[in-house]
Amino acid sequence: MITRQPLLEKLQMGDLELQNRVIMAPMTRSRATNPENAPFDIHVKYYKQRSSAGLIISEGAQISKKAVGYVNTPGIYSDAQVEGWKKVTEGVHEKGGKIFIQLWHVGRMSHPDFHGGELPHAPSAINPHSKSFTPEGFKDTETPKEMSIEEIKQTILDYKKAAENAMKAGFDGVEIHSSNGYLLHQFFNRTSNVRTDEYGGSIENRARILFEVIDAIKEVMPENRIGVRLNPSLHGIFGMTMDEETIPTFDYIIEKLNQYNLAYLHLSEPFNDVSEIPYAEKEIAKRYRPMYKGTLIINAGFDQERGNQFILEGLADAVAYGKPFISNPDLVERFAENAPLAEWDQATFYTPGEKGYTDYPKLSVSKLV
Ligand SMILES: Cc1cc2nc3c(=O)[nH]c(=O)nc-3n(C[C@H](O)[C@H](O)[C@H](O)COP(=O)(O)O)c2cc1C
């Protein structure tokens, strides 16, 4: 029986007071099944059901048409999408919750089928040899187009516009998705970025775009409502390969993030076993907690006990839970009661409709007392 639960204590995050430290991790659920890729009623219901989280971080939302890489994912670039998200944020706020939107550009993890036959954009013309989930099912990725400087500048403006739209839609903040092998992460790593201009080569150059994105976004919203997500030891998945400069690159990025007054830094422990990878950092929070001075959210593979332990040991301020939130809309209440958790069904992670989305029940009140 767990008695002291720091996960359930309030957290001051900039000017926001979170009711607890149980964060809902961003999760793509591929339910925006309309031509506009706009959220609608079922999204409102899904996020409302989970509004007792200290903070919800929405699924990745593409910042432009070019940013998309998976079928039925919602965007945050059109008026219809803003209107759809407005209903989501209103629903969550009504229930006393808080919600950030994750700003997403998949870069080379896309497919020409999404772009009228044109190639996806990336820092360099290097195929991740991965799969893209297109309207016709999974297809092999292709060699992307190396972005011109003009296209990089336009993409930064797309992030800014998306952040502006997020504010219009009533979000409490934005999370920049610079993680999991997508566009910004593709700039960081040498195996996906072989540019020779100011966006490639040195560590500083490979990290540059992230800071330009933050600088652009903070023109349209407060810095303390911007979060950044990083996954330093991602190796062998989502087309990412680590080398001896990968961790030094993340060291540089995280040190430099201290110059900003961000809402938080959201880090993932390794997604897979990297014990045999010489360049990988095996303990992300242990390395970066002392380095990062602001609010730190940690993620990946946590249960209730380990989440409480990490906060108690000062390794993180809050813990983001992904899959447990899929099948336990009342995860916070279950933690509070030390109640058992329901299992998630992987088969319905990305399928259309309410099944496996809004039909996971809360624990009945009788079981809670
Ligand atoms: C169905 C599903 C969709 C996901 N989509 C996203 C996403 O849109 N953005 C993101 O940063 N991470 C995404 N992730 C990763 C999660 O945020 C999280 O890092 C991962 O599930 C590990 O945490 P967990 O062990 O608590 O589930 C996704 C994970 C799952 C299971």
Short mmCIF file of all heavy atoms in Angstrom, two decimals, residues 32-82:
data_model
loop_
_atom_site.label_atom_id
_atom_site.label_comp_id
_atom_site.label_asym_id
_atom_site.label_seq_id
_atom_site.Cartn_x
_atom_site.Cartn_y
_atom_site.Cartn_z
N ALA A 32 -9.59 11.79 -36.04
CA ALA A 32 -10.12 12.97 -36.76
C ALA A 32 -10.53 12.56 -38.17
O ALA A 32 -9.92 12.96 -39.17
CB ALA A 32 -9.08 14.09 -36.78
N THR A 33 -11.60 11.77 -38.22
CA THR A 33 -12.03 11.14 -39.47
C THR A 33 -12.96 12.04 -40.27
O THR A 33 -14.12 11.72 -40.50
CB THR A 33 -12.77 9.83 -39.14
OG1 THR A 33 -13.70 10.12 -38.08
CG2 THR A 33 -11.83 8.74 -38.70
N ASN A 34 -12.48 13.21 -40.65
CA ASN A 34 -13.25 14.08 -41.54
C ASN A 34 -12.27 14.79 -42.46
O ASN A 34 -11.07 14.87 -42.16
CB ASN A 34 -14.09 15.07 -40.71
CG ASN A 34 -13.24 15.84 -39.72
OD1 ASN A 34 -12.44 16.68 -40.11
ND2 ASN A 34 -13.38 15.55 -38.43
N PRO A 35 -12.77 15.29 -43.59
CA PRO A 35 -11.84 15.86 -44.59
C PRO A 35 -11.00 17.00 -44.04
O PRO A 35 -9.90 17.25 -44.51
CB PRO A 35 -12.78 16.36 -45.70
CG PRO A 35 -14.08 15.69 -45.47
CD PRO A 35 -14.16 15.31 -44.04
N GLU A 36 -11.50 17.72 -43.02
CA GLU A 36 -10.78 18.85 -42.44
C GLU A 36 -9.73 18.41 -41.41
O GLU A 36 -8.96 19.21 -40.92
CB GLU A 36 -11.77 19.78 -41.73
CG GLU A 36 -12.39 20.81 -42.62
CD GLU A 36 -11.42 21.92 -43.01
OE1 GLU A 36 -10.35 22.07 -42.37
OE2 GLU A 36 -11.73 22.64 -43.97
N ASN A 37 -9.77 17.14 -41.05
CA ASN A 37 -8.93 16.67 -39.92
C ASN A 37 -9.12 17.58 -38.70
O ASN A 37 -8.15 18.06 -38.10
CB ASN A 37 -7.45 16.56 -40.29
CG ASN A 37 -7.18 15.44 -41.28
OD1 ASN A 37 -6.37 15.58 -42.19
ND2 ASN A 37 -7.86 14.31 -41.10
N ALA A 38 -10.39 17.81 -38.38
CA ALA A 38 -10.73 18.66 -37.23
C ALA A 38 -11.26 17.78 -36.10
O ALA A 38 -11.99 16.82 -36.35
CB ALA A 38 -11.80 19.67 -37.63
N PRO A 39 -10.91 18.11 -34.84
CA PRO A 39 -11.49 17.37 -33.72
C PRO A 39 -13.00 17.61 -33.67
O PRO A 39 -13.47 18.66 -34.10
CB PRO A 39 -10.83 17.99 -32.48
CG PRO A 39 -9.71 18.82 -32.99
CD PRO A 39 -10.03 19.19 -34.40
N PHE A 40 -13.75 16.65 -33.17
CA PHE A 40 -15.21 16.83 -33.04
C PHE A 40 -15.69 16.17 -31.75
O PHE A 40 -14.88 15.98 -30.82
CB PHE A 40 -15.93 16.35 -34.30
CG PHE A 40 -15.72 14.89 -34.64
CD1 PHE A 40 -16.71 13.94 -34.38
CD2 PHE A 40 -14.53 14.45 -35.22
CE1 PHE A 40 -16.53 12.60 -34.70
CE2 PHE A 40 -14.33 13.10 -35.53
CZ PHE A 40 -15.33 12.18 -35.26
N ASP A 41 -16.99 15.87 -31.68
CA ASP A 41 -17.61 15.44 -30.41
C ASP A 41 -16.82 14.37 -29.65
O ASP A 41 -16.70 14.43 -28.43
CB ASP A 41 -19.00 14.85 -30.69
CG ASP A 41 -19.92 15.87 -31.31
OD1 ASP A 41 -19.49 17.03 -31.43
OD2 ASP A 41 -21.04 15.49 -31.68
N ILE A 42 -16.31 13.35 -30.38
CA ILE A 42 -15.68 12.25 -29.64
C ILE A 42 -14.36 12.70 -28.99
O ILE A 42 -13.99 12.21 -27.93
CB ILE A 42 -15.49 10.95 -30.48
CG1 ILE A 42 -14.57 11.15 -31.66
CG2 ILE A 42 -16.83 10.38 -30.90
CD1 ILE A 42 -14.23 9.80 -32.34
N HIS A 43 -13.71 13.69 -29.62
CA HIS A 43 -12.48 14.22 -28.99
C HIS A 43 -12.84 14.96 -27.70
O HIS A 43 -12.14 14.86 -26.69
CB HIS A 43 -11.77 15.18 -29.95
CG HIS A 43 -11.27 14.51 -31.20
ND1 HIS A 43 -12.10 14.25 -32.26
CD2 HIS A 43 -10.06 14.03 -31.54
CE1 HIS A 43 -11.40 13.65 -33.22
NE2 HIS A 43 -10.16 13.50 -32.81
N VAL A 44 -13.94 15.71 -27.76
CA VAL A 44 -14.38 16.46 -26.57
C VAL A 44 -14.63 15.48 -25.42
O VAL A 44 -14.15 15.65 -24.30
CB VAL A 44 -15.66 17.28 -26.88
CG1 VAL A 44 -16.13 18.03 -25.64
CG2 VAL A 44 -15.43 18.24 -28.04
N LYS A 45 -15.36 14.41 -25.75
CA LYS A 45 -15.71 13.42 -24.73
C LYS A 45 -14.44 12.76 -24.16
O LYS A 45 -14.28 12.64 -22.94
CB LYS A 45 -16.61 12.37 -25.39
CG LYS A 45 -17.24 11.37 -24.46
CD LYS A 45 -18.32 10.61 -25.23
CE LYS A 45 -18.81 9.39 -24.50
NZ LYS A 45 -19.66 8.55 -25.33
N TYR A 46 -13.53 12.36 -25.04
CA TYR A 46 -12.30 11.67 -24.64
C TYR A 46 -11.45 12.53 -23.70
O TYR A 46 -11.03 12.07 -22.64
CB TYR A 46 -11.53 11.32 -25.92
CG TYR A 46 -10.10 10.85 -25.77
CD1 TYR A 46 -9.81 9.54 -25.35
CD2 TYR A 46 -9.03 11.67 -26.10
CE1 TYR A 46 -8.49 9.09 -25.26
CE2 TYR A 46 -7.72 11.23 -26.02
CZ TYR A 46 -7.45 9.93 -25.60
OH TYR A 46 -6.15 9.49 -25.52
N TYR A 47 -11.22 13.78 -24.10
CA TYR A 47 -10.35 14.62 -23.26
C TYR A 47 -11.06 15.01 -21.95
O TYR A 47 -10.43 15.08 -20.90
CB TYR A 47 -9.87 15.84 -24.04
CG TYR A 47 -8.77 15.49 -25.04
CD1 TYR A 47 -8.98 15.51 -26.41
CD2 TYR A 47 -7.50 15.11 -24.60
CE1 TYR A 47 -7.97 15.17 -27.31
CE2 TYR A 47 -6.48 14.78 -25.48
CZ TYR A 47 -6.72 14.80 -26.84
OH TYR A 47 -5.72 14.46 -27.72
N LYS A 48 -12.36 15.25 -22.02
CA LYS A 48 -13.12 15.58 -20.80
C LYS A 48 -13.04 14.45 -19.78
O LYS A 48 -12.88 14.68 -18.58
CB LYS A 48 -14.60 15.79 -21.16
CG LYS A 48 -15.02 17.24 -21.16
CD LYS A 48 -16.44 17.38 -21.63
CE LYS A 48 -17.37 17.79 -20.51
NZ LYS A 48 -18.68 18.23 -21.05
N GLN A 49 -13.15 13.22 -20.31
CA GLN A 49 -13.09 12.05 -19.41
C GLN A 49 -11.77 12.00 -18.63
O GLN A 49 -11.69 11.41 -17.57
CB GLN A 49 -13.22 10.76 -20.23
CG GLN A 49 -14.60 10.47 -20.75
CD GLN A 49 -14.60 9.27 -21.71
OE1 GLN A 49 -13.56 8.90 -22.28
NE2 GLN A 49 -15.76 8.65 -21.88
N ARG A 50 -10.72 12.60 -19.21
CA ARG A 50 -9.39 12.50 -18.61
C ARG A 50 -8.95 13.80 -17.93
O ARG A 50 -7.76 13.99 -17.63
CB ARG A 50 -8.40 12.08 -19.72
CG ARG A 50 -8.59 10.61 -20.07
CD ARG A 50 -8.17 10.22 -21.46
NE ARG A 50 -8.46 8.79 -21.66
CZ ARG A 50 -9.68 8.29 -21.96
NH1 ARG A 50 -10.72 9.10 -22.11
NH2 ARG A 50 -9.86 6.99 -22.09
N SER A 51 -9.94 14.69 -17.65
CA SER A 51 -9.59 16.04 -17.21
C SER A 51 -9.14 16.14 -15.76
O SER A 51 -8.73 17.20 -15.32
CB SER A 51 -10.76 17.00 -17.46
OG SER A 51 -11.91 16.47 -16.87
N SER A 52 -9.13 15.02 -15.02
CA SER A 52 -8.57 15.11 -13.65
C SER A 52 -7.05 14.99 -13.67
O SER A 52 -6.40 15.13 -12.63
CB SER A 52 -9.20 14.06 -12.73
OG SER A 52 -8.96 12.76 -13.24
N ALA A 53 -6.45 14.74 -14.84
CA ALA A 53 -4.98 14.81 -14.94
C ALA A 53 -4.53 16.20 -14.52
O ALA A 53 -5.25 17.18 -14.77
CB ALA A 53 -4.56 14.55 -16.39
N GLY A 54 -3.37 16.31 -13.90
CA GLY A 54 -2.83 17.63 -13.53
C GLY A 54 -2.71 18.50 -14.77
O GLY A 54 -2.96 19.70 -14.74
N LEU A 55 -2.31 17.87 -15.87
CA LEU A 55 -2.22 18.54 -17.17
C LEU A 55 -2.40 17.49 -18.25
O LEU A 55 -1.79 16.42 -18.18
CB LEU A 55 -0.84 19.22 -17.33
CG LEU A 55 -0.55 19.85 -18.70
CD1 LEU A 55 -1.42 21.10 -18.93
CD2 LEU A 55 0.93 20.25 -18.82
N ILE A 56 -3.25 17.81 -19.24
CA ILE A 56 -3.35 16.96 -20.43
C ILE A 56 -2.45 17.57 -21.50
O ILE A 56 -2.52 18.78 -21.75
CB ILE A 56 -4.80 16.93 -20.97
CG1 ILE A 56 -5.75 16.26 -19.97
CG2 ILE A 56 -4.85 16.24 -22.33
CD1 ILE A 56 -7.23 16.35 -20.37
N ILE A 57 -1.63 16.74 -22.11
CA ILE A 57 -0.91 17.18 -23.31
C ILE A 57 -1.61 16.47 -24.46
O ILE A 57 -1.71 15.23 -24.47
CB ILE A 57 0.59 16.83 -23.27
CG1 ILE A 57 1.22 17.38 -21.98
CG2 ILE A 57 1.31 17.39 -24.51
CD1 ILE A 57 2.60 16.82 -21.67
N SER A 58 -2.14 17.23 -25.40
CA SER A 58 -2.95 16.62 -26.47
C SER A 58 -2.09 15.74 -27.36
O SER A 58 -0.86 15.84 -27.37
CB SER A 58 -3.59 17.71 -27.34
OG SER A 58 -2.66 18.15 -28.34
N GLU A 59 -2.75 14.93 -28.15
CA GLU A 59 -2.10 14.23 -29.25
C GLU A 59 -1.36 15.22 -30.14
O GLU A 59 -1.72 16.41 -30.18
CB GLU A 59 -3.17 13.51 -30.06
CG GLU A 59 -4.17 14.46 -30.71
CD GLU A 59 -5.50 13.78 -30.97
OE1 GLU A 59 -5.63 13.04 -31.96
OE2 GLU A 59 -6.43 14.00 -30.15
N GLY A 60 -0.36 14.75 -30.87
CA GLY A 60 0.33 15.60 -31.82
C GLY A 60 -0.67 16.17 -32.82
O GLY A 60 -1.51 15.45 -33.35
N ALA A 61 -0.58 17.50 -33.06
CA ALA A 61 -1.48 18.17 -34.01
C ALA A 61 -0.61 18.83 -35.06
O ALA A 61 0.27 19.64 -34.72
CB ALA A 61 -2.34 19.20 -33.30
N GLN A 62 -0.80 18.49 -36.33
CA GLN A 62 0.09 19.01 -37.36
C GLN A 62 -0.07 20.51 -37.52
O GLN A 62 -1.18 21.04 -37.49
CB GLN A 62 -0.05 18.27 -38.69
CG GLN A 62 -1.43 18.17 -39.28
CD GLN A 62 -2.14 16.87 -38.87
OE1 GLN A 62 -1.70 16.18 -37.96
NE2 GLN A 62 -3.22 16.55 -39.53
N ILE A 63 1.08 21.18 -37.69
CA ILE A 63 1.11 22.65 -37.76
C ILE A 63 0.81 23.17 -39.16
O ILE A 63 0.64 24.38 -39.34
CB ILE A 63 2.49 23.20 -37.31
CG1 ILE A 63 3.62 22.61 -38.18
CG2 ILE A 63 2.73 22.89 -35.83
CD1 ILE A 63 4.91 23.37 -38.11
N SER A 64 0.82 22.28 -40.14
CA SER A 64 0.55 22.69 -41.53
C SER A 64 0.19 21.43 -42.30
O SER A 64 0.34 20.31 -41.79
CB SER A 64 1.80 23.31 -42.16
OG SER A 64 2.83 22.32 -42.27
N LYS A 65 -0.24 21.62 -43.55
CA LYS A 65 -0.54 20.45 -44.39
C LYS A 65 0.70 19.60 -44.60
O LYS A 65 0.64 18.39 -44.65
CB LYS A 65 -1.06 20.92 -45.74
CG LYS A 65 -2.53 21.23 -45.72
CD LYS A 65 -3.10 21.25 -47.12
CE LYS A 65 -4.61 21.29 -47.00
NZ LYS A 65 -5.26 22.02 -48.03
N LYS A 66 1.83 20.28 -44.72
CA LYS A 66 3.09 19.59 -45.02
C LYS A 66 3.56 18.77 -43.81
O LYS A 66 4.42 17.89 -43.94
CB LYS A 66 4.15 20.63 -45.39
CG LYS A 66 5.34 20.10 -46.15
CD LYS A 66 4.99 19.64 -47.55
CE LYS A 66 6.03 18.70 -48.11
NZ LYS A 66 5.69 18.13 -49.41
N ALA A 67 3.03 19.08 -42.64
CA ALA A 67 3.54 18.46 -41.40
C ALA A 67 2.94 17.09 -41.12
O ALA A 67 3.38 16.38 -40.23
CB ALA A 67 3.25 19.38 -40.21
N VAL A 68 1.93 16.70 -41.91
CA VAL A 68 1.18 15.47 -41.60
C VAL A 68 1.95 14.21 -42.02
O VAL A 68 2.74 14.24 -42.96
CB VAL A 68 -0.21 15.50 -42.28
CG1 VAL A 68 -0.10 15.32 -43.79
CG2 VAL A 68 -1.15 14.48 -41.68
N GLY A 69 1.71 13.13 -41.29
CA GLY A 69 2.37 11.87 -41.66
C GLY A 69 1.54 10.65 -41.34
O GLY A 69 1.95 9.53 -41.63
N TYR A 70 0.38 10.86 -40.73
CA TYR A 70 -0.46 9.73 -40.34
C TYR A 70 -1.91 10.07 -40.66
O TYR A 70 -2.32 11.23 -40.52
CB TYR A 70 -0.32 9.42 -38.85
CG TYR A 70 1.09 9.03 -38.46
CD1 TYR A 70 2.04 10.01 -38.17
CD2 TYR A 70 1.48 7.70 -38.42
CE1 TYR A 70 3.34 9.66 -37.84
CE2 TYR A 70 2.78 7.33 -38.09
CZ TYR A 70 3.71 8.33 -37.80
OH TYR A 70 4.99 7.99 -37.49
N VAL A 71 -2.66 9.06 -41.03
CA VAL A 71 -4.04 9.30 -41.43
C VAL A 71 -4.91 9.67 -40.21
O VAL A 71 -4.66 9.20 -39.10
CB VAL A 71 -4.57 8.03 -42.17
CG1 VAL A 71 -4.77 6.86 -41.22
CG2 VAL A 71 -5.83 8.33 -42.95
N ASN A 72 -5.87 10.57 -40.46
CA ASN A 72 -6.87 10.95 -39.44
C ASN A 72 -6.30 11.61 -38.18
O ASN A 72 -6.89 11.53 -37.10
CB ASN A 72 -7.72 9.74 -39.02
CG ASN A 72 -8.52 9.17 -40.17
OD1 ASN A 72 -8.86 9.89 -41.10
ND2 ASN A 72 -8.80 7.88 -40.13
N THR A 73 -5.14 12.25 -38.29
CA THR A 73 -4.63 13.00 -37.13
C THR A 73 -5.11 14.45 -37.26
O THR A 73 -5.18 14.99 -38.37
CB THR A 73 -3.09 12.96 -37.06
OG1 THR A 73 -2.55 13.45 -38.29
CG2 THR A 73 -2.61 11.55 -36.82
N PRO A 74 -5.45 15.10 -36.15
CA PRO A 74 -5.99 16.46 -36.25
C PRO A 74 -4.89 17.49 -36.48
O PRO A 74 -3.75 17.30 -36.07
CB PRO A 74 -6.63 16.67 -34.87
CG PRO A 74 -5.85 15.80 -33.96
CD PRO A 74 -5.40 14.62 -34.77
N GLY A 75 -5.26 18.58 -37.12
CA GLY A 75 -4.31 19.68 -37.32
C GLY A 75 -4.67 20.87 -36.45
O GLY A 75 -5.67 20.86 -35.72
N ILE A 76 -3.82 21.91 -36.54
CA ILE A 76 -4.09 23.17 -35.82
C ILE A 76 -3.69 24.34 -36.74
O ILE A 76 -3.08 25.30 -36.33
CB ILE A 76 -3.41 23.19 -34.42
CG1 ILE A 76 -3.70 24.47 -33.61
CG2 ILE A 76 -1.90 22.90 -34.50
CD1 ILE A 76 -5.11 24.65 -33.17
N TYR A 77 -4.03 24.19 -38.02
CA TYR A 77 -3.70 25.26 -38.98
C TYR A 77 -4.92 25.85 -39.66
O TYR A 77 -4.83 26.91 -40.25
CB TYR A 77 -2.68 24.78 -40.02
CG TYR A 77 -3.11 23.55 -40.80
CD1 TYR A 77 -3.88 23.67 -41.96
CD2 TYR A 77 -2.76 22.27 -40.36
CE1 TYR A 77 -4.28 22.54 -42.65
CE2 TYR A 77 -3.16 21.15 -41.05
CZ TYR A 77 -3.92 21.29 -42.20
OH TYR A 77 -4.33 20.18 -42.88
N SER A 78 -6.10 25.19 -39.59
CA SER A 78 -7.27 25.74 -40.29
C SER A 78 -8.32 26.23 -39.28
O SER A 78 -8.30 25.84 -38.11
CB SER A 78 -7.90 24.66 -41.18
OG SER A 78 -8.65 23.75 -40.40
N ASP A 79 -9.24 27.06 -39.77
CA ASP A 79 -10.30 27.60 -38.90
C ASP A 79 -11.18 26.47 -38.35
O ASP A 79 -11.56 26.49 -37.18
CB ASP A 79 -11.18 28.60 -39.67
CG ASP A 79 -10.41 29.88 -39.99
OD1 ASP A 79 -9.36 30.11 -39.34
OD2 ASP A 79 -10.85 30.62 -40.88
N ALA A 80 -11.48 25.50 -39.20
CA ALA A 80 -12.33 24.39 -38.75
C ALA A 80 -11.64 23.62 -37.61
O ALA A 80 -12.30 23.19 -36.64
CB ALA A 80 -12.63 23.45 -39.90
N GLN A 81 -10.34 23.46 -37.71
CA GLN A 81 -9.61 22.75 -36.65
C GLN A 81 -9.63 23.57 -35.35
O GLN A 81 -9.85 23.02 -34.26
CB GLN A 81 -8.17 22.48 -37.10
CG GLN A 81 -8.09 21.48 -38.24
CD GLN A 81 -6.78 21.54 -39.02
OE1 GLN A 81 -5.95 22.42 -38.80
NE2 GLN A 81 -6.62 20.60 -39.94
N VAL A 82 -9.44 24.88 -35.48
CA VAL A 82 -9.49 25.75 -34.28
C VAL A 82 -10.86 25.64 -33.62
O VAL A 82 -10.97 25.49 -32.39
CB VAL A 82 -9.16 27.22 -34.65
CG1 VAL A 82 -9.43 28.16 -33.49
CG2 VAL A 82 -7.71 27.34 -35.10
#
